[in-house]
């Protein structure tokens, strides 16, 4: 069997490195593995590295590029490159296959050995490569061959992973599970307490400057508004699993398509002590509850008789996004004023920066994810640069910062 060129897309940097080395010890001689946690970088690597197979954590497939989820984008733009996805839930297989995946592989839980998982990934990769009738293209452009030298020059800091055995790695933390897309009730029953979940798969740098967390807010915070995009699904999982009542209601815009917004809400509801649901027009925002904007609908809030009510309506994209963080934040600034907390997380572009500024101008405390812990430091940077962010906080510190600001 000839060597394979494989691209691994995994949001956990630690598991990314471990998985790449484990695959290399099992792949045939001459195989090459490239890896990334960034969808934009993944597209660059596909064009330059020309992998025969893409292996992707299914949690990454909900990330959007130009308004479209990642897995269907790859399936349509690179039909000659099979995509193998993996995740913790058997029920994610149908969604993955319907989105264009060649195969879906269930990943064992934290107490189980991963040896069989790596063996099966290699078997599936070999079968996927063999299923492609024509050899994958090797041109960067017309007539331009991709040689090792060209690739190394283009990606000098990434390089090529050598085929070499490695020491047995330590067991890694699994990515967050994705639960089946089942509708949640309008007012879900109280949930039993869950054990504290581990911190996000997004890795913090070994050394970072000390972070001064905000003091407890002197205002009565009645609502928490959060905006996120690229890398946001895992950032939200990291934050929400570590929040505990009592907290005011939380409203979230994550750039995500319709099918995946409900899937994300269901997954987070299974992970969290807080109750999580996809938002709908007429929902009353209740303490200890989280509402995620449905894909392709803007979500806003308004007051009615002392209650905060959701509106979810179709509309023109803002910053090419629907739902838009700016639309949510602007309504929060107008309706809730200084009694709301604004949070902006990892993501491409500048959606949310202007709306967060309006919230701060109304007197709201505001938090922004820092550069070191962001998958893409786009939206938080735009908000910081325009003066909308009162405190920059790492992803690890964000749950505590939210709690301090909101209580």
């Amino acid at each position: 069997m000839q060597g394979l060129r494989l691209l691994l897309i995994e949001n956990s940097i630690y598991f990314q490195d471990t998985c790449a080395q484990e695959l290399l010890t099992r792949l045939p001689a001459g195989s090459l593995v490239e890896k990334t946690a960034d969808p934009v970088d993944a597209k660059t690597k596909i064009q330059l590295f020309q992998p025969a197979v893409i292996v992707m954590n299914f949690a990454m497939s909900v990330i959007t590029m130009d308004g479209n989820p990642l897995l269907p984008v790859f399936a349509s733009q690179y039909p000659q490159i099979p995509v193998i996805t993996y995740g913790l839930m058997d029920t994610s297989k149908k969604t993955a296959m319907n989105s264009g995946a060649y195969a879906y592989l269930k990943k064992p839980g934290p107490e189980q050995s991963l040896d069989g998982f790596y063996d099966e990934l290699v078997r599936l990769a070999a079968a996927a490569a063999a299923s492609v009738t024509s050899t994958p293209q090797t041109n960067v452009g017309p007539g331009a061959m991709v040689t090792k030298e060209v690739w190394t020059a283009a990606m000098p800091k990434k390089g090529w992973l050598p085929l070499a055995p490695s020491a047995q790695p330590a067991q890694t933390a699994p990515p967050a599970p994705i639960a089946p897309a089942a509708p949640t009730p309008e007012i879900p029953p109280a949930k039993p307490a869950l054990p504290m979940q581990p911190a996000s798969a997004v890795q913090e740098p070994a050394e970072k400057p000390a972070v001064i967390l905000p003091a407890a807010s002197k205002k009565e915070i009645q609502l928490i508004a959060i905006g996120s995009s690229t890398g946001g699904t895992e950032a939200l999982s990291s934050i929400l699993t570590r929040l505990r009542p009592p907290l005011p209601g939380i409203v979230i815009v994550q750039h995500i398509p319709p099918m995946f917004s409900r899937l994300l809400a269901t997954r987070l509801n299974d992970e969290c002590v807080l109750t999580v649901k996809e938002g709908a027009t007429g929902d009353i925002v209740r303490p200890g509850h989280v509402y995620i904007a449905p894909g392709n609908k803007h979500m806003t809030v308004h007051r009615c008789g002392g209650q905060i009510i959701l509106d979810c309506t179709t509309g023109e994209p803002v910053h090419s996004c629907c739902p838009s963080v700016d639309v949510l934040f602007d309504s929060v600034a107008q309706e809730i004023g200084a009694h709301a907390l604004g949070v902006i997380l990892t993501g491409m572009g500048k959606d949310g920066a202007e709306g967060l500024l309006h919230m701060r101008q109304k007197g709201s405390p505001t938090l922004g994810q820092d550069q070191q812990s962001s998958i893409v430091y786009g939206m938080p940077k735009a908000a910081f640069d325009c003066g909308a962010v009162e405190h920059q906080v790492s992803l690890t510190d964000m749950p505590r910062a939210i709690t301090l600001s909101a209580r």
Side-chain angles (χ1 to χ4, degrees):
M1 179 179 169
Q2 295 181 345
L4 291 179
R5 302 161 75 85
L6 188 149
L7 175 62
L8 173 64
I9 305 174
E10 164 61 53
N11 57 301
S12 167
I13 305 302
Y14 179 64
F15 183 69
Q16 183 189 105
D17 291 339
T18 302
C19 185
Q21 292 295 341
E22 288 291 335
L23 292 178
L24 279 170
T25 62
R26 291 165 169 81
L27 286 166
S31 295
L32 297 169
V33 175
E34 260 299 329
K35 47 193 171 60
T36 185
D38 180 4
V40 177
D41 185 44
K43 292 195 73 171
T44 301
K45 286 188 160 115
I46 289 171
Q47 294 164 5
L48 289 173
F49 183 55
Q50 291 292 322
V53 180
I54 296 171
V55 175
M56 177 171 28
N57 183 342
F58 184 70
M60 297 286 288
S61 69
V62 299
I63 294 175
T64 60
M65 292 187 67
D66 301 323
N68 298 306
L70 200 58
L71 180 54
V73 166
F74 285 170
S76 62
Q77 293 186 6
Y78 311 106
Q80 78 281 11
I81 308 177
V83 180
I84 299 169
T85 62
Y86 58 86
L88 286 172
M89 303 297 294
D90 281 321
T91 48
S92 299
K93 180 176 181 177
K94 182 177 179 181
T95 303
M97 302 303 288
N98 288 341
S99 299
Y102 171 84
Y104 175 87
L105 179 62
K106 184 179 182 297
K107 183 182 175 186
E111 303 302 322
Q112 298 172 282
S113 171
L114 289 173
D115 288 341
F117 169 75
Y118 295 129
D119 291 340
E120 185 64 9
L121 267 184
V122 169
R123 188 194 69 78
L124 286 172
S131 72
V132 179
T133 56
S134 60
T135 303
Q137 297 293 318
T138 56
N139 291 338
V140 178
M145 290 295 294
V146 178
T147 64
K148 179 175 179 178
E149 290 72 23
V150 170
W151 173 249
T152 304
M155 301 287 176
K157 294 185 180 180
K158 302 294 184 181
W160 295 59
L161 285 174
L163 179 63
S166 60
Q168 180 66 26
Q171 181 69 37
T172 60
I178 298 181
T184 54
E186 178 75 13
I187 304 176
K191 299 176 63 176
L194 296 177
M196 181 69 78
Q197 298 289 329
S200 167
V202 178
Q203 298 297 301
E204 290 296 310
E207 296 182 2
K208 62 179 181 180
V211 175
I212 300 176
L213 295 178
S217 176
K218 297 180 181 179
K219 310 177 185 73
E220 178 195 357
I221 299 301
Q222 302 170 359
L223 184 71
I224 301 170
I226 301 176
S228 56
S229 185
T230 309
T233 56
E234 293 308 310
L236 290 171
S237 178
S238 171
I239 293 167
L240 295 177
T241 55
R242 295 164 59 201
L243 293 179
R244 298 290 184 269
L247 282 174
I250 301 173
V251 289
I252 296 173
V253 163
Q254 161 72 37
H255 296 159
I256 200 167
M259 177 174 62
F260 291 96
S261 56
R262 178 161 292 185
L263 183 67
L264 176 63
T266 305
R267 162 194 158 188
L268 291 173
N269 186 60
D270 288 342
E271 291 180 343
C272 300
V273 172
L274 305 178
T275 299
V276 185
K277 74 181 295 286
E278 185 181 50
T281 296
D283 278 351
I284 299 171
V285 178
R286 303 178 184 277
H289 287 60
V290 182
Y291 305 84
I292 296 177
N296 287 350
K297 287 187 178 181
H298 293 303
M299 187 167 74
T300 57
V301 299
H302 69 272
R303 287 191 180 276
C304 181
Q307 295 179 320
I308 300 173
I309 311 294
L310 293 184
D311 285 317
C312 299
T313 57
T314 57
E316 292 297 317
V318 176
H319 304 301
S320 302
C321 301
C322 184
S324 163
V325 182
D326 266 333
V327 170
L328 174 64
F329 284 178
D330 280 340
S331 74
V332 172
Q334 182 68 30
E335 295 288 322
I336 314 300
H339 297 288
L341 167 65
V343 182
I344 193 159
L345 303 175
T346 174
M348 290 186 287
K350 62 178 182 179
D351 187 31
E354 187 176 350
L356 193 69
L357 179 60
H358 294 162
M359 289 183 64
R360 190 173 185 191
Q361 289 169 340
K362 290 284 189 176
S364 295
T366 60
L367 304 172
Q369 188 174 347
D370 67 4
Q371 181 173 1
Q372 290 79 9
S373 66
S374 295
I375 294 292
V376 179
Y377 187 57
M379 287 163 49
K381 182 180 188 300
F384 181 78
D385 289 346
C386 75
V389 174
E390 184 178 6
H391 295 279
Q392 281 205 109
V393 183
S394 74
L395 185 60
T396 299
D397 293 326
M398 190 65 76
R400 183 175 170 223
I402 289 173
T403 301
L404 288 172
S405 300
R407 288 181 178 174

